[in-house]
Coordinates of all heavy atoms in Angstrom, one line a residue:
F7 N 175.1 458.5 58.1 CA 176.0 457.5 57.9 C 176.8 457.2 59.1 O 177.3 458.2 59.7 CB 176.8 457.9 56.7 CG 176.1 458.0 55.4 CD1 175.9 459.2 54.9 CD2 175.5 456.9 54.8 CE1 175.1 459.3 53.6 CE2 174.8 456.9 53.6 CZ 174.6 458.3 53.0
A8 N 177.2 456.0 59.4 CA 177.9 455.6 60.6 C 179.2 456.4 61.0 O 179.3 456.9 62.0 CB 178.1 454.2 60.7
Q9 N 180.1 456.4 60.1 CA 181.4 456.9 60.4 C 181.5 458.4 59.7 O 182.4 459.1 60.1 CB 182.5 456.1 59.7 CG 182.6 454.7 60.2 CD 182.9 454.5 61.8 OE1 183.6 455.3 62.2 NE2 182.3 453.5 62.3
S10 N 180.8 458.6 58.8 CA 180.9 460.0 58.1 C 180.1 461.0 58.7 O 179.2 460.8 59.4 CB 180.4 459.7 56.5 OG 181.1 458.8 55.9
A11 N 180.6 462.3 58.5 CA 180.0 463.4 59.0 C 180.0 464.6 58.1 O 181.0 464.9 57.4 CB 180.5 463.8 60.3
S12 N 179.0 465.3 57.9 CA 178.9 466.6 57.1 C 179.4 467.7 58.0 O 178.7 467.9 59.1 CB 177.6 466.7 56.4 OG 177.4 465.7 55.5
G13 N 180.1 468.6 57.5 CA 180.5 469.8 58.2 C 181.3 470.8 57.4 O 181.6 470.6 56.1
I14 N 181.8 471.8 58.0 CA 182.7 472.7 57.5 C 183.8 473.1 58.3 O 183.7 473.1 59.6 CB 181.9 474.1 57.1 CG1 182.8 475.0 56.3 CG2 181.5 474.8 58.4 CD1 182.0 476.2 55.6
G15 N 185.1 473.3 57.7 CA 186.2 473.4 58.6 C 187.3 474.4 58.1 O 187.2 474.9 56.9
L16 N 188.2 474.8 58.9 CA 189.3 475.6 58.6 C 190.5 475.1 59.2 O 190.5 474.7 60.3 CB 189.0 477.0 59.2 CG 190.1 478.1 58.9 CD1 190.1 478.5 57.4 CD2 189.7 479.4 59.7
S17 N 191.6 474.9 58.3 CA 192.9 474.3 58.8 C 194.0 475.2 58.5 O 193.9 476.0 57.7 CB 193.0 473.0 58.2 OG 193.2 473.0 56.8
Y18 N 195.2 475.0 59.3 CA 196.3 475.8 59.3 C 197.4 474.8 59.6 O 197.3 474.0 60.4 CB 196.3 477.1 60.2 CG 197.5 477.9 60.1 CD1 197.8 478.8 59.1 CD2 198.6 477.6 61.1 CE1 199.0 479.5 59.1 CE2 199.8 478.4 61.0 CZ 200.0 479.2 60.1 OH 201.1 479.9 59.9
G19 N 198.6 475.1 58.9 CA 199.7 474.3 59.1 C 201.0 474.6 58.4 O 201.0 475.5 57.6
A20 N 202.0 473.8 58.6 CA 203.3 474.0 58.1 C 203.4 473.1 56.7 O 202.7 472.0 56.6 CB 204.4 473.6 59.0
N21 N 204.3 473.5 55.8 CA 204.6 472.8 54.6 C 206.0 472.9 54.3 O 206.8 473.8 54.7 CB 203.7 473.2 53.4 CG 204.1 474.6 52.9 OD1 205.2 475.0 52.8 ND2 203.0 475.4 52.8
K22 N 206.5 471.9 53.6 CA 207.9 471.9 53.1 C 208.0 471.3 51.6 O 207.7 470.1 51.6 CB 208.9 471.2 54.1 CG 210.3 470.9 53.6 CD 211.0 472.4 53.5 CE 212.5 472.1 53.2 NZ 212.8 472.1 51.8
P23 N 208.2 472.0 50.6 CA 208.5 471.4 49.4 C 209.7 470.5 49.4 O 210.7 470.8 50.1 CB 208.9 472.6 48.4 CG 208.1 473.8 49.2 CD 208.4 473.5 50.6
F24 N 209.7 469.4 48.7 CA 210.8 468.5 48.5 C 211.8 469.1 47.5 O 212.0 468.5 46.5 CB 210.4 467.1 48.0 CG 209.7 466.3 49.0 CD1 208.9 466.9 50.0 CD2 209.7 464.9 49.1 CE1 208.3 466.2 51.0 CE2 209.1 464.1 50.1 CZ 208.4 464.7 51.1
S25 N 212.3 470.2 47.9 CA 213.3 471.0 46.9 C 214.2 471.7 47.9 O 213.7 472.4 48.9 CB 212.5 471.9 46.0 OG 213.5 472.8 45.5
N26 N 215.5 471.7 47.6 CA 216.4 472.4 48.4 C 216.4 473.9 48.3 O 217.0 474.6 48.9 CB 217.9 471.9 48.2 CG 218.1 470.5 48.6 OD1 217.4 470.1 49.7 ND2 219.0 469.8 48.1
D27 N 215.5 474.3 47.3 CA 215.4 475.8 47.1 C 214.4 476.4 47.9 O 214.2 477.6 47.8 CB 215.0 476.0 45.5 CG 216.0 475.7 44.6 OD1 217.2 475.8 44.9 OD2 215.7 475.1 43.5
Y28 N 213.7 475.7 48.7 CA 212.6 476.2 49.6 C 212.7 475.8 51.1 O 213.1 474.7 51.4 CB 211.2 475.7 49.0 CG 211.0 476.4 47.7 CD1 211.3 475.7 46.6 CD2 210.3 477.6 47.5 CE1 211.1 476.2 45.3 CE2 210.1 478.2 46.4 CZ 210.4 477.5 45.3 OH 210.2 478.0 44.1
N29 N 212.6 476.7 51.9 CA 212.4 476.5 53.4 C 211.0 476.0 53.7 O 210.1 476.0 53.0 CB 212.7 477.9 54.2 CG 214.1 478.2 54.0 OD1 215.1 477.5 54.2 ND2 214.4 479.5 53.7
F30 N 210.7 475.9 55.1 CA 209.5 475.7 55.5 C 208.4 476.8 55.2 O 208.9 478.0 55.3 CB 209.4 475.3 57.0 CG 209.8 473.9 57.4 CD1 211.2 473.7 57.6 CD2 208.9 472.8 57.4 CE1 211.6 472.4 57.9 CE2 209.3 471.6 57.7 CZ 210.6 471.4 57.9
G31 N 207.3 476.5 54.9 CA 206.2 477.6 54.7 C 205.1 477.2 55.5 O 205.0 476.4 56.4
S32 N 203.8 477.9 55.2 CA 202.7 477.6 55.9 C 201.5 477.8 54.9 O 201.7 478.3 53.8 CB 202.5 478.6 57.1 OG 202.3 479.9 56.6
G33 N 200.3 477.2 55.4 CA 199.1 477.2 54.5 C 197.8 477.3 55.3 O 197.9 476.9 56.4
V34 N 196.8 477.7 54.7 CA 195.5 477.7 55.3 C 194.5 477.1 54.3 O 194.7 477.3 53.1 CB 195.1 479.2 55.9 CG1 195.0 480.1 54.7 CG2 193.7 479.2 56.6
Q35 N 193.5 476.5 54.8 CA 192.5 475.9 54.0 C 191.1 476.0 54.5 O 190.9 475.7 55.8 CB 192.8 474.4 53.6 CG 191.8 473.7 52.7 CD 192.1 472.2 52.6 OE1 192.6 471.5 53.5 NE2 191.8 471.8 51.4
L36 N 190.1 476.3 53.7 CA 188.6 476.2 54.0 C 188.1 475.0 53.3 O 188.3 474.8 52.2 CB 187.9 477.5 53.6 CG 186.4 477.5 53.8 CD1 186.1 477.6 55.3 CD2 185.8 478.7 53.1
F37 N 187.4 474.1 54.0 CA 186.9 472.9 53.4 C 185.6 472.4 54.0 O 185.3 472.9 55.1 CB 188.1 471.7 53.6 CG 188.2 471.4 55.1 CD1 187.5 470.4 55.7 CD2 189.2 472.1 55.8 CE1 187.8 470.0 57.0 CE2 189.4 471.8 57.2 CZ 188.8 470.7 57.6
G38 N 185.0 471.5 53.3 CA 183.7 471.0 53.6 C 183.9 469.4 53.7 O 184.7 469.0 53.1
N39 N 183.1 468.8 54.5 CA 183.0 467.3 54.6 C 181.5 467.0 54.3 O 180.6 467.4 55.0 CB 183.2 466.7 56.0 CG 184.8 466.8 56.3 OD1 185.6 466.8 55.4 ND2 185.2 467.0 57.6
L40 N 181.3 466.3 53.2 CA 180.0 466.0 52.8 C 179.8 464.5 52.8 O 180.3 463.8 51.9 CB 179.7 466.5 51.4 CG 180.0 468.0 51.1 CD1 179.9 468.3 49.6 CD2 179.0 468.8 51.9
A41 N 179.0 464.0 53.7 CA 178.9 462.4 53.9 C 178.1 462.0 52.7 O 177.1 462.5 52.4 CB 178.1 462.2 55.2
I42 N 178.6 461.0 52.0 CA 177.9 460.4 50.8 C 177.5 459.0 51.0 O 176.7 458.4 50.2 CB 178.8 460.6 49.6 CG1 180.2 460.0 49.7 CG2 178.8 461.9 49.2 CD1 180.9 460.0 48.5
A43 N 178.3 458.2 52.0 CA 178.0 456.8 52.2 C 178.7 456.5 53.6 O 179.4 457.2 54.0 CB 178.5 456.0 51.0
N44 N 178.3 455.3 54.0 CA 179.0 454.9 55.3 C 180.5 454.8 55.0 O 181.1 454.3 54.1 CB 178.6 453.4 55.6 CG 178.9 452.9 57.0 OD1 179.0 453.9 57.9 ND2 179.0 451.7 57.1
N45 N 181.2 455.5 55.8 CA 182.7 455.7 55.8 C 183.2 456.5 54.7 O 184.4 456.7 54.6 CB 183.4 454.4 55.7 CG 183.1 453.4 56.9 OD1 182.2 453.6 57.7 ND2 184.1 452.5 57.2
W46 N 182.4 457.2 53.9 CA 182.9 458.0 52.6 C 182.3 459.4 52.8 O 181.2 459.7 53.1 CB 182.4 457.3 51.4 CG 183.1 456.0 51.1 CD1 182.6 454.8 51.4 CD2 184.3 455.9 50.5 NE1 183.5 453.9 50.9 CE2 184.6 454.5 50.3 CE3 185.4 456.7 50.0 CZ2 185.9 453.9 49.8 CZ3 186.4 456.2 49.5 CH2 186.7 454.9 49.4
E47 N 183.3 460.4 52.4 CA 182.9 461.7 52.4 C 183.6 462.3 51.1 O 184.7 462.0 50.7 CB 183.4 462.5 53.6 CG 182.8 462.0 54.9 CD 183.5 462.5 56.1 OE1 184.1 463.7 56.1 OE2 183.6 461.8 57.1
L48 N 182.9 463.3 50.6 CA 183.6 464.3 49.5 C 184.0 465.4 50.3 O 183.3 466.0 51.3 CB 182.5 464.8 48.4 CG 182.2 463.7 47.5 CD1 181.2 464.2 46.5 CD2 183.4 463.0 46.8
V49 N 185.3 465.9 49.9 CA 185.9 467.1 50.7 C 186.4 468.1 49.7 O 187.4 468.1 49.2 CB 187.1 466.6 51.6 CG1 187.7 467.7 52.4 CG2 186.7 465.4 52.5
P50 N 185.4 469.1 49.3 CA 185.8 470.2 48.6 C 186.6 471.2 49.4 O 186.4 471.3 50.7 CB 184.5 470.8 48.0 CG 183.5 470.5 49.1 CD 184.0 469.2 49.6
G51 N 187.6 471.8 48.8 CA 188.4 472.7 49.6 C 189.1 473.8 48.7 O 189.3 473.7 47.5
I52 N 189.4 475.0 49.4 CA 190.0 476.1 48.7 C 191.1 476.5 49.7 O 190.9 476.6 50.9 CB 189.1 477.3 48.3 CG1 189.9 478.2 47.5 CG2 188.4 477.8 49.5 CD1 189.1 479.3 46.7
G53 N 192.3 476.7 49.3 CA 193.3 477.1 50.2 C 194.5 478.0 49.6 O 194.5 478.3 48.4
L54 N 195.4 478.3 50.4 CA 196.6 479.1 50.0 C 197.8 478.5 50.8 O 197.7 478.3 52.0 CB 196.5 480.6 50.5 CG 197.6 481.5 50.4 CD1 197.9 481.8 48.9 CD2 197.3 482.9 51.0
E55 N 198.8 478.2 50.0 CA 200.1 477.7 50.6 C 201.1 478.6 50.2 O 201.3 479.0 49.0 CB 200.4 476.2 50.0 CG 199.3 475.2 50.3 CD 199.5 474.7 51.8 OE1 200.6 474.8 52.4 OE2 198.5 474.2 52.4
S56 N 201.9 479.1 51.2 CA 203.2 479.9 50.9 C 204.4 479.1 50.9 O 204.6 478.3 51.9 CB 203.3 480.9 52.0 OG 202.2 481.8 52.0
L57 N 205.1 479.0 49.8 CA 206.3 478.3 49.6 C 207.5 479.3 49.8 O 207.6 480.2 48.9 CB 206.4 477.6 48.3 CG 205.2 476.6 48.0 CD1 205.4 476.0 46.7 CD2 204.9 475.7 49.1
N58 N 208.2 479.3 50.8 CA 209.3 480.3 51.1 C 210.6 479.9 50.4 O 211.3 478.9 50.9 CB 209.4 480.4 52.6 CG 208.3 481.0 53.3 OD1 207.4 481.7 52.6 ND2 207.9 480.5 54.5
S59 N 211.1 480.7 49.5 CA 212.3 480.5 48.8 C 213.5 480.7 49.7 O 213.5 481.6 50.6 CB 212.4 481.5 47.6 OG 213.6 481.4 47.0
K60 N 214.6 480.0 49.4 CA 216.0 480.4 49.9 C 216.6 481.4 49.3 O 217.8 481.8 49.9 CB 216.8 479.1 50.2 CG 216.3 478.0 51.0 CD 217.2 476.8 51.1 CE 216.7 475.8 52.1 NZ 217.6 474.6 52.2
G61 N 216.1 482.0 48.3 CA 216.7 483.0 47.5 C 217.9 482.6 46.6 O 218.6 483.5 46.2
R62 N 217.9 481.4 46.1 CA 219.0 481.0 45.3 C 218.9 481.7 44.0 O 217.9 481.9 43.4 CB 219.0 479.4 45.1 CG 220.1 478.9 44.2 CD 220.0 477.5 44.2 NE 219.1 476.8 43.4 CZ 219.1 476.5 42.0 NH1 220.2 476.8 41.4 NH2 218.0 476.0 41.4
V63 N 220.1 482.0 43.3 CA 220.2 482.5 42.0 C 220.8 481.5 41.1 O 221.8 480.9 41.5 CB 221.1 483.9 42.0 CG1 221.3 484.4 40.6 CG2 220.5 484.9 42.9
Y64 N 220.2 481.3 40.1 CA 220.8 480.3 39.0 C 220.9 480.9 37.7 O 220.3 481.9 37.3 CB 220.0 479.1 39.1 CG 218.5 479.2 38.5 CD1 218.3 478.9 37.1 CD2 217.5 479.5 39.2 CE1 217.1 479.0 36.6 CE2 216.2 479.8 38.8 CZ 216.1 479.4 37.4 OH 214.8 479.6 36.9
Q65 N 221.9 480.4 36.9 CA 222.2 480.7 35.6 C 221.3 480.2 34.6 O 221.0 479.1 34.4 CB 223.6 480.2 35.2 CG 224.2 480.9 34.1 CD 224.9 482.3 34.4 OE1 225.3 482.5 35.6 NE2 224.8 483.3 33.5
I66 N 220.6 481.2 33.7 CA 219.7 480.8 32.7 C 220.5 480.5 31.4 O 220.3 479.5 30.8 CB 218.7 481.9 32.4 CG1 217.8 482.1 33.7 CG2 217.8 481.5 31.2 CD1 216.8 483.2 33.6
D67 N 221.4 481.4 31.1 CA 222.3 481.2 29.9 C 223.6 481.9 30.2 O 223.8 482.4 31.4 CB 221.6 481.7 28.6 CG 221.1 483.2 28.7 OD1 221.8 484.0 29.3 OD2 220.1 483.5 28.0

Side-chain angles (χ1 to χ4, degrees):
F7 299 106
Q9 305 293 328
S10 301
S12 293
I14 188 164
L16 183 66
S17 64
Y18 178 80
N21 66 49
K22 174 65 173 91
F24 283 32
S25 166
N26 288 331
D27 292 326
Y28 293 92
N29 291 314
F30 281 90
S32 62
V34 63
Q35 180 185 31
L36 176 65
F37 62 95
N39 288 330
L40 306 169
I42 56 173
N44 191 27
N45 294 27
W46 291 96
E47 299 168 32
L48 286 179
V49 183
I52 185 167
L54 173 67
E55 296 286 334
S56 296
L57 309 181
N58 296 326
S59 169
K60 290 182 176 178
R62 183 174 71 91
V63 176
Y64 66 98
Q65 195 77 33
I66 296 174
D67 56 35

